[in-house]
Amino acid sequence: MILDAEIKAQLAQYLQLMENDIVLKVSAGDDQVSRDMLALVDELTTMSSKIKVEKTTLERTPSFSVNRIGEETGVVFAGVPLGHEFTSFVLALLQVSGRPPKVDQAVIEQIKNLKGTYRFETYVSLTCHNCPDVVQALNVMSVLNPNVSHTMIDGAAFKEEVEQKDVMAVPTVFLNGEPFASGRMSLEEILAKLGSTPDASTFGNKDPFDVLVIGGGPAGATAAIYAARKGIRTGIVAERFGGQILDTLGIENFISVKYTEGPKLAASLEEHVKHYNVDIMNLQRAKRLEKKELIEVELENGAILKSKAVIIATGARWRNLGVPGEAEFKNKGVAYCPHCDGPLFEGKHVAVIGGGNSGVEAAIDLAGIAKHVTVLEFAPELKADAVLQDRLYSLPNVTVIKNAQTKEITGTDKVNGITYIDRATGEEHHIELQGVFVQIGLVPNTEWLEGTVERNRFGEIIVDKRGATNVPGVFAAGDCTDSAYKQIIISMGSGATASLGAFDYLIRN
Ligand SMILES: Cc1cc2nc3c(=O)[nH]c(=O)nc-3n(C[C@H](O)[C@H](O)[C@H](O)COP(=O)(O)OP(=O)(O)OC[C@H]3O[C@@H](n4cnc5c(N)ncnc54)[C@H](O)[C@@H]3O)c2cc1C
């Protein structure tokens, strides 16, 4: 039995939601993955009479397509969609059967209006938590538009193909055989990349807001909810709604919830904000702020939004090493997300740069997959918590090098090594390896405020206890501020503080 009893019970409930018959067209061989795929398909047919199976030959073996009766939908799974892709598989069954996807009507129209032929292929790993969003988005597009097809490919089952196409990060998407994108993307982001965007000119004609929030992470979402609950006109501009939690796997310190996962929390945040009358402007980036009679925020698309008060919650992003080779080999051996890209380095030698908590956690994770992990720490000692260090040092395939200043990431078409300087002796060393995971902390997303809002030497916005900045009417919250600690719950708390601070300001001015 390929599915355990608990999953099977859940699946049975979902399968009852299927609206029409579907047919799985299966291309199988004699290998173990084919046998597992057939076992999965067989198990499904015993669970729903709406699922039919046909044998066929597809471009890849093992793979299967999910189709309406008498009509190819273009949704294909190559490999066995278990692990994180199981949900993608179940959703595909439901959506192909006629159950409408949970997508805004405007987005459905955008998809249906796509002209041309789009043959997408997405390389995933079954442990990648960023992959299902991309797979599910492209599957929805395939289901809704006959000109779009999408194949999910489990990299572990198609290793030769992965090597041949130099796929070194997941998800990696190819469109019509050419590299299209890498990393987590929402449906809206994919559509925007295809040149299909909602009309930007409408943004500039909006009435002024009472509170305009910039940033859609935990801090921004909280600030928007607090403002909207006061009954005032609230807007939120976010480059990527959800923020850093979209790249986070397990969360165990979001108090009152013992365990959740980042993308799940991001979806709940969005649902909560949407429950209120908040004007959400997703996939929009602010580039300038100016205090006039009202506060004006200019977006990258040229639109200018006006508001009586603004709350900046633009968070932070991974810090780059800034050495030669880092940018050139990004996604060609240089990676930032061990949970996502770790499985692609199975049996290989990788380095982790950074000996803080995130670096050491990454190294412990990677040691279970890679042949060898070398941790390079700039300082004379690791900075991670003692329990993590103990765990790290107990692993047989890990080497820790301290006092190491990374000089260059080397390679030809992909990473083949790293050069570092031993800061104690000044000697230069080179290690041959295939992957480098950069884990050296975060930088605040505040460059766009240069010359307007006061920041400290790290670029963090300086706020008072009400979240107010030095500019009257401009407040800030979360990881972009000088708060001592950067955590989800702390960002939410400061988002609430800034919003209440802004409301007080509006009453008094
Ligand atoms: C891998 C990882 C694991 C983590 N694990 C945990 C954990 O287990 N527990 C925990 O409590 N914390 C964890 N954290 C930290 C936590 O995710 C952050 O503290 C939190 O997300 C900060 O929220 P924020 O709203 O301030 O910023 P962010 O989450 O960074 O959100 C910023 C928002 O602003 C947007 N934005 C940025 N620039 C602009 C612009 N110019 N215009 C418009 N929008 C913009 C972004 O797109 C995003 O929507 C983790 C972080 C990482 C990276």
Side-chain angles (χ1 to χ4, degrees):
M1 209 167 68
I2 194 145
L3 301 173
D4 69 31
E6 196 183 328
I7 291 194
K8 221 172 151 177
Q10 280 176 4
L11 181 60
Q13 287 181 351
Y14 284 119
L15 294 182
Q16 280 175 11
L17 301 174
M18 285 180 64
E19 301 210 340
N20 297 293
D21 287 0
I22 61 166
V23 56
L24 304 181
K25 297 192 178 169
V26 183
S27 180
D30 295 329
D31 53 295
Q32 186 55 45
V33 183
S34 288
R35 282 196 286 277
D36 288 346
M37 182 183 75
L38 287 173
L40 176 67
V41 166
D42 283 348
E43 211 154 321
L44 282 173
T45 51
T46 63
M47 294 174 71
S48 170
S49 59
K50 287 201 164 71
I51 301 176
K52 321 280 176 217
V53 177
E54 272 177 27
K55 290 230 161 106
T56 188
T57 306
L58 297 172
E59 189 182 337
R60 290 178 185 81
T61 296
S63 73
F64 62 94
S65 58
V66 187
N67 304 287
R68 290 180 274 264
I69 302 291
E71 187 192 346
E72 304 280 330
T73 47
V75 177
V76 178
F77 291 91
V80 191
L82 292 177
H84 280 295
E85 289 307 334
F86 188 60
T87 312
S88 308
F89 174 46
V90 176
L91 285 173
L93 296 176
L94 296 182
Q95 288 161 4
V96 171
S97 84
R99 194 129 191 117
K102 285 193 181 153
V103 176
D104 284 351
Q105 192 54 38
V107 175
I108 292 180
E109 291 308 319
Q110 264 179 276
I111 296 171
K112 287 188 170 166
N113 287 336
L114 283 175
K115 306 272 180 295
T117 306
Y118 300 89
R119 194 171 58 81
F120 288 102
E121 294 167 305
T122 306
Y123 292 86
V124 303
S125 70
L126 299 182
T127 53
C128 158
H129 59 285
N130 286 328
C131 296
D133 281 1
V134 176
V135 170
Q136 289 163 26
L138 291 169
N139 282 349
V140 166
M141 288 172 62
S142 300
V143 170
L144 292 174
N145 186 328
N147 300 324
V148 181
S149 66
H150 175 235
T151 304
M152 178 222 84
I153 304 154
D154 174 15
F158 291 88
K159 283 200 177 116
E160 267 179 34
E161 201 175 315
V162 163
E163 298 265 328
Q164 189 204 335
K165 286 194 171 167
D166 270 347
V167 174
M168 301 194 82
V170 285
T172 287
V173 184
F174 285 75
L175 170 58
N176 298 334
E178 297 296 324
F180 173 69
S182 196
R184 184 189 178 279
M185 289 181 91
S186 65
L187 184 46
E188 287 88 347
E189 284 170 296
I190 294 169
L191 288 167
K193 204 167 158 66
L194 292 174
S196 167
T197 41
D199 186 3
S201 63
T202 56
F203 284 79
N205 303 327
K206 288 181 189 276
D207 288 338
F209 292 95
D210 292 316
V211 168
L212 179 64
V213 181
I214 315 294
T222 308
I225 291 170
Y226 265 71
R229 284 173 58 82
K230 296 283 185 194
I232 56 181
R233 188 168 146 66
T234 307
I236 185 165
V237 174
E239 190 182 359
R240 192 173 166 229
F241 199 97
Q244 289 169 64
I245 54 173
L246 292 171
D247 303 321
T248 306
L249 182 60
I251 298 169
E252 296 177 348
N253 56 2
F254 186 54
I255 308 309
S256 84
V257 180
K258 272 189 281 186
Y259 179 84
T260 186
E261 294 188 351
K264 192 169 162 205
L265 180 58
S268 313
L269 274 186
E270 191 166 354
E271 197 187 328
H272 199 170
V273 174
K274 281 186 171 161
H275 179 69
Y276 294 98
N277 194 11
V278 176
D279 187 342
I280 303 178
M281 292 157 272
N282 196 10
L283 302 184
Q284 301 298 328
R285 200 177 143 82
K287 75 164 183 193
R288 196 178 57 84
L289 176 144
E290 198 176 338
K291 168 95 177 153
K292 293 190 175 166
E293 195 185 329
L294 293 170
I295 300 154
E296 295 190 357
V297 174
E298 188 181 348
L299 306 185
E300 293 277 1
N301 70 15
I304 293 180
L305 301 171
K306 296 182 182 157
S307 186
K308 291 179 189 159
V310 166
I311 299 171
I312 302 166
T314 45
R317 62 178 185 277
W318 299 108
R319 185 186 293 280
N320 290 335
L321 263 176
V323 299
E326 182 184 26
E328 292 89 316
F329 299 120
K330 192 170 174 197
N331 297 333
K332 295 282 171 216
V334 174
Y336 297 81
C337 179
H339 293 301
C340 317
D341 301 333
L344 296 173
F345 294 87
E346 191 183 341
K348 298 191 172 156
H349 183 175
V350 298
V352 173
I353 315 290
N357 277 348
S358 49
V360 170
E361 274 177 29
I364 293 168
D365 254 22
L366 289 166
I369 303 163
K371 184 166 148 219
H372 196 87
V373 180
T374 301
V375 178
L376 296 176
E377 164 59 48
F378 184 82
E381 292 304 329
L382 297 183
K383 295 192 204 78
D385 295 344
V387 278
L388 291 173
Q389 291 197 36
D390 290 348
R391 181 81 216 285
L392 183 75
Y393 284 119
S394 74
L395 299 169
N397 59 340
V398 173
T399 310
V400 178
I401 304 176
K402 298 174 204 163
N403 258 330
Q405 181 186 351
T406 308
K407 189 177 169 211
E408 186 181 359
I409 297 169
T410 59
T412 47
D413 51 340
K414 54 188 169 186
V415 169
N416 64 17
I418 194 163
T419 307
Y420 72 93
I421 296 168
D422 182 330
R423 294 172 62 231
T425 63
E427 277 172 26
E428 193 170 299
H429 299 273
H430 183 79
I431 309 172
E432 282 184 17
L433 41 71
Q434 292 79 42
V436 177
F437 285 80
V438 182
Q439 301 283 303
I440 53 167
L442 299 163
V443 263
N445 295 317
T446 57
E447 293 85 348
W448 63 286
L449 297 164
E450 187 72 52
T452 51
V453 177
E454 199 185 343
R455 297 172 299 151
N456 65 15
R457 68 193 171 94
F458 305 111
E460 297 167 335
I461 301 167
I462 300 170
V463 288
D464 69 11
K465 64 181 179 188
R466 290 187 170 73
T469 69
N470 66 316
V471 180
V474 178
F475 294 75
D479 280 15
C480 65
T481 70
D482 61 349
S483 70
Y485 305 105
K486 316 295 195 222
Q487 288 284 282
I488 297 163
I489 209 152
I490 294 171
S491 293
M492 288 184 171
S494 69
T497 303
S499 200
L500 294 173
F503 187 66
D504 266 357
Y505 167 85
L506 291 176
I507 292 172
R508 286 162 214 269
N509 288 279

